[in-house]
Amino acid sequence: DAGITQSPRYKITETGRQVTLMCHQTWSHSYMFWYRQDLGHGLRLIYYSAAADITDKGEVPDGYVVSRSKTENFPLTLESATRSQTSVYFCASSEWDSPLHFGNGTRLTVT
Amino acid sequence: QKEVEQNSGPLSVPEGAIASLNCTYSDRGSQSFFWYRQYSGKSPELIMFIYSNGDKEDGRFTAQLNKASQYVSLLIRDSQPSDSATYLCAGGGGSEKLVFGKGTKLTVNP
């Protein structure tokens, strides 16, 4: 089925470990986004990409790395996880100036 | 810093009533506005989008945009318990600039 898939759905990791969250979309949307959602802060943009090999920082990029070698994939890597990165992470995709479509989210806990 | 402000709520209405959700935004350059519904533990799903001043209706939902006042609202008529969720307002001037409010939690009481 067409859509946007995130994996894993749940992840527990330890402080200092590297962890990668995966995002795959089948719509061939140009734009892809990573948000984190925390109580009291709402959805905050981490990174976004306008096309393959084009990425840009959002509001809260520190501690995160992204890549987009293929249009359909947009992985998010936490290079050295910290407890403050415990959150729910949502990937989304869209075309220019059109609504975002969200994946089901990844709930990450950093111990 | 571009901001989108929503009443945090919670907002509680009886079944069958009209629920009114409000949102203001700081960036006068914002052109596109979206309302998302998010059930607890789920991802946001699009309810409405509006680009032009005025009202846009879709079933029980009406989005209203007033660019002069930098104000967006969502009305839900004949509210149902299944409408109980957090509603997120978002505004931007193209996909890169979308900014979300913190959401308003709506409870519809049977």
Side-chain angles (χ1 to χ4, degrees):
Chain A
D1 287 344
I4 184 165
T5 305
Q6 291 184 237
S7 62
R9 289 297 311 277
Y10 303 92
K11 176 73 176 178
I12 300 174
T13 192
E14 295 177 342
T15 300
R17 289 193 180 270
Q18 182 181 83
V19 60
T20 296
L21 310 183
M22 304 301 292
C23 180
H24 175 79
Q25 55 109 351
T26 59
W27 286 304
S28 299
H29 283 163
S30 299
Y31 287 84
M32 295 188 75
F33 307 82
W34 275 106
Y35 287 88
R36 60 178 291 176
Q37 188 173 39
D38 306 285
L39 279 174
H41 290 282
L43 281 165
R44 291 183 290 175
L45 182 63
I46 304 170
Y47 269 96
Y48 65 96
S49 168
D53 297 322
I54 300 175
T55 62
D56 208 347
K57 296 178 180 179
E59 180 185 355
V60 289
D62 293 343
Y64 303 95
V65 175
V66 294
S67 62
R68 195 164 176 210
S69 58
K70 293 183 178 182
T71 301
E72 61 267 30
N73 296 324
F74 191 40
L76 176 73
T77 297
L78 288 66
E79 295 183 295
S80 178
T82 65
R83 290 193 181 90
S84 65
Q85 292 177 310
T86 292
S87 186
V88 179
Y89 291 85
F90 289 104
C91 179
S93 71
S94 77
E95 282 302 331
W96 170 260
D97 207 23
S98 65
L100 301 185
H101 298 271
F102 286 87
N104 286 333
T106 295
R107 185 175 294 274
L108 176 68
T109 301
V110 183
T111 63
Chain B
Q1 182 80 5
K2 299 171 184 175
E3 292 183 341
V4 172
E5 300 284 344
Q6 294 183 249
N7 291 333
S8 60
L11 175 65
S12 182
V13 300
E15 184 174 356
I18 295 175
S20 177
L21 303 161
N22 305 314
C23 172
T24 58
Y25 59 95
S26 63
D27 181 14
R28 285 195 173 273
S30 295
Q31 298 293 320
S32 312
F33 300 90
F34 307 88
W35 282 100
Y36 287 83
R37 177 177 64 199
Q38 187 175 25
Y39 293 115
S40 181
K42 302 294 185 181
S43 59
E45 56 178 328
L46 182 71
I47 298 295
M48 295 279 293
F49 60 90
I50 186 166
Y51 299 149
S52 303
N53 273 331
D55 296 359
K56 180 180 179 182
E57 187 174 317
D58 184 1
R60 297 187 295 112
F61 298 94
T62 299
Q64 300 174 317
L65 174 59
N66 183 325
K67 291 187 178 181
S69 300
Q70 295 177 246
Y71 177 86
V72 190
S73 66
L74 179 70
L75 300 178
I76 306 174
R77 290 181 300 281
D78 188 25
S79 295
Q80 300 298 309
S82 59
D83 295 325
S84 298
T86 297
Y87 289 80
L88 306 174
C89 173
S95 295
E96 304 132 359
K97 309 295 184 184
L98 202 62
V99 177
F100 283 83
K102 294 180 181 180
T104 299
K105 185 174 183 179
L106 171 67
T107 300
V108 180
N109 300 303

